[in-house]
Amino acid sequence: MQIKINDVLRAYIEPLTEAEYMALERSVLAEGCRDALVLWQDTLVDGHNRYQICQEHGIPFKAVENTSFRDLDDVKLWMIDNNLGRRSISDYQRGVLALRKKEIVRARALELAAEAAAEDAAIAPPDGEAKPKPAAMPLTSREDIARAARLSSATISQIEKIQKTATPELVEAVRSGTISINAAATVASLPEDAQIAAVAGGKKELQKAAKEVRDLRTAGKPPKEAKGAREDGERDYNRNPTEADELRRENAALREKNAALLEEITALQRRISELASSSSQG
């Protein structure tokens, strides 16, 4: 079979870094292509990097066709869910994928609603025959998106802001881990030239830019009495955010993420128990 490459699908998932690609290449050269490539008819869906490595080095591989795909959106949803299930992707990548899923699901919900409205306007069905209704669609709220990505709602909100207002340079910085999601969302409120300059200055300059934005926001708020201020003039860390403050915020976000994971685990365990009970009764 002649495998086809769809450029949209190949670029749909964040590309591997150079180091990640080299590590994958070493693995394939040493152990072969262990996992089968996934196809939609004759178009490659999953395994673009492995396919490229196998082609370059003449390494044999297996390919399987997923016959459940109806259209390109089905393929994209499968790719999103497949990658959300991997532990190796970053929180930023998780958020981006969940937001992409939201857009596809939203478009489908609107399409189903339009179809239902058209059917309602047509000739009524025979008595006793129920009218078709749009299926209930997930990811209707930021909380749903956060749950799908196993992130906090606050983090999803920050990723949305980064996608809307961050320059490509700033996006690459957060994607590579040079700057945190929290700080990147703050820097994304700056003009484009200021964002680009901050990225060019490296991690310290990005942290400085984020701190300056927070300081300006704090200055624009009604003054509050400093908590725990000392008479000896010790710096008030509540009014002057530092890198330590940013780490505290990230720690709080991680705690919220952990709580969401525990909730998901509990729900899965409950479901397993229900299935086991149902199976034993049957």
Side-chain angles (χ1 to χ4, degrees):
M1 176 187 293
Q2 182 65 36
I3 294 178
K4 296 180 180 178
I5 302 297
N6 182 306
D7 290 335
V8 173
L9 295 180
R10 180 171 57 183
Y12 196 65
I13 303 299
E14 292 279 352
L16 296 179
T17 63
E18 183 178 353
E20 290 170 338
Y21 185 88
M22 292 176 65
L24 176 62
E25 186 175 34
R26 288 194 298 270
S27 174
V28 173
L29 287 173
E31 304 174 19
C33 188
R34 295 179 299 175
D35 299 323
L37 310 181
V38 178
L39 305 177
W40 171 37
Q41 298 174 1
D42 57 354
T43 299
L44 186 58
V45 171
D46 182 62
H48 289 86
N49 293 299
R50 284 176 283 130
Y51 178 66
Q52 181 176 334
I53 292 168
C54 288
Q55 290 291 92
E56 289 178 354
H57 299 281
I59 298 173
F61 59 85
K62 294 181 180 179
V64 296
E65 181 185 356
N66 188 323
T67 57
S68 66
F69 301 141
R70 296 169 298 175
D71 52 32
L72 190 61
D73 280 346
D74 270 355
V75 175
K76 290 179 178 179
L77 287 172
W78 184 90
M79 293 175 72
I80 290 171
D81 289 338
N82 187 48
N83 280 272
L84 284 176
R86 294 174 176 170
R87 297 181 180 180
S88 58
I89 65 173
S90 68
D91 285 352
Y92 179 74
Q93 290 172 315
R94 287 184 182 281
V96 169
L97 289 174
L99 288 168
R100 286 179 179 174
K101 183 173 183 178
K102 169 199 170 186
E103 291 304 315
I104 295 175
V105 169
R106 178 176 177 274
R108 283 194 166 180
L110 292 174
E111 182 180 348
L112 287 171
E115 290 176 359
E119 289 175 355
D120 286 343
I123 300 175
D127 293 340
E129 183 178 334
K131 295 181 181 180
K133 296 181 180 180
M137 304 301 286
L139 300 185
T140 55
S141 68
R142 183 171 284 119
E143 288 71 23
D144 293 329
I145 302 167
R147 195 175 298 111
R150 299 202 293 271
L151 299 172
S152 69
S153 297
T155 300
I156 290 296
S157 179
Q158 291 165 353
I159 292 173
E160 283 184 299
K161 181 175 181 180
I162 291 169
Q163 286 191 304
K164 291 177 181 177
T165 62
T167 62
E169 293 82 1
L170 182 56
V171 170
E172 178 57 28
V174 69
R175 195 185 75 81
S176 65
T178 303
I179 184 174
S180 69
I181 294 172
N182 186 309
T186 303
V187 175
S189 63
L190 292 171
E192 291 188 0
D193 56 346
Q195 293 183 40
I196 295 172
V199 173
K203 185 174 183 177
K204 289 185 177 180
E205 191 63 30
L206 282 165
Q207 291 174 343
K208 179 183 176 182
K211 177 181 179 301
E212 289 175 350
V213 173
R214 293 186 184 117
D215 285 346
L216 287 172
R217 289 175 179 172
T218 302
K221 295 179 180 179
K224 296 181 180 180
E225 184 177 351
K227 296 181 180 180
R230 300 185 179 181
E231 294 181 358
D232 60 4
E234 181 177 291
R235 183 178 182 180
D236 179 4
Y237 287 92
N238 287 322
R239 299 181 64 185
N240 295 281
T242 64
E243 184 175 357
D245 296 301
E246 180 181 327
L247 291 174
R248 291 189 189 97
R249 281 188 289 270
E250 291 183 21
N251 181 51
L254 287 172
R255 287 179 182 274
E256 186 175 347
K257 178 183 177 183
N258 186 52
L261 285 171
L262 289 174
E263 182 180 346
E264 183 179 351
I265 290 171
T266 301
L268 288 172
Q269 289 175 335
R270 186 183 304 114
R271 180 59 177 160
I272 290 171
S273 298
E274 292 173 355
L275 291 172
S277 175
S278 176
S279 177
S280 62
Q281 291 176 1

